[in-house]
Amino acid sequence: MGQNIIGSLRDINIKPLGDSAIIVQFGTDISPEVHLKVKAFSDQLDKDPFCGFVEYVPAFTSVTVFYHPLTVYQMYKGEGSKEKLSPYKIVHSIIEKRLEKLQAPLASEQRVVEIPVCYDGELGPDLQAVANYHSLSTTEVIEIHSKAEYLVFMIGFAPGFPYLGGMSEQIATPRHTSPRLSIPAGSVGIAGMQTGVYPISTPGGWQIIGRTPVDLFYPDRNPPSLLQSGDIVRFMPISIEEYNGYKETLV
């Protein structure tokens, strides 16, 4: 751990969400710097949850913390204070004290996950459209997409769906105006400046440029998602033969 990464608590917006949750907003822009604070605070809650803590939900720029109001209140009363504070104010105070000591995780703790992707035309029905949109060849799109390293900002939309940052503007492409009714699991897509992988079959409007044979969601595991916030993802191009061979080993 290094030095504190919160410059001033005035830059952090802490507000209630109902009577049993609190939102800690670290910024308004989606960036690696804001994500670092989200990740560090999430890790802190994992390692040292406070009494009454239930769970947290990280997002692009914030972390929502859920708690048991009665447990929090009883814990505070046990400290012998005569001042009556609401559970929200108690949790607010706990979070402020933790933020004052928030430190960045070690770089060595960041996990790198390589995901094979087949960019074959059948598995990437929008690859040619993305290439045409930017006056590129499909080979150039594949090279640009696969040579970058992507930061997992958050998991959401569908179980195990990773929102990845770090894609080149050279291939940023608007999503479809009309979503498809079903996108196959493993589909790799582009939507604006984001890229991501559909872990399960679901409707979607992203531009599909390939597919991975790797499962990203395991409902019988804990955690069920292959990827976690803070991971680094690298896409490794494979042939249709390699894709089919990988799928056959899973049968």
Side-chain angles (χ1 to χ4, degrees), residues 10 33 46 105 107-108 120 134 159 175 194 201 204 206 209-210 235:
R10 290 177 296 181
E33 293 74 23
D46 274 331
S108 60
D120 181 82
H134 295 282
R175 67 183 67 207
Q194 292 183 323
S201 179
W206 291 40
I209 63 171
F235 292 119

Side-chain angles (χ1 to χ4, degrees), residues 3 12 15 70 84 145 190 205:
Q3 62 182 7
I12 310 298
K15 56 187 178 182
L70 182 58
K84 292 183 178 180
H145 187 262
I190 290 174

Side-chain angles (χ1 to χ4, degrees), residues 4-6 37 40-41 44 98-103:
N4 181 270
I5 58 175
I6 302 297
K37 298 174 183 178
F41 184 57
Q44 187 188 75
R98 288 179 172 232
L99 291 176
E100 290 173 350
K101 302 177 182 179
L102 192 64
Q103 296 179 329

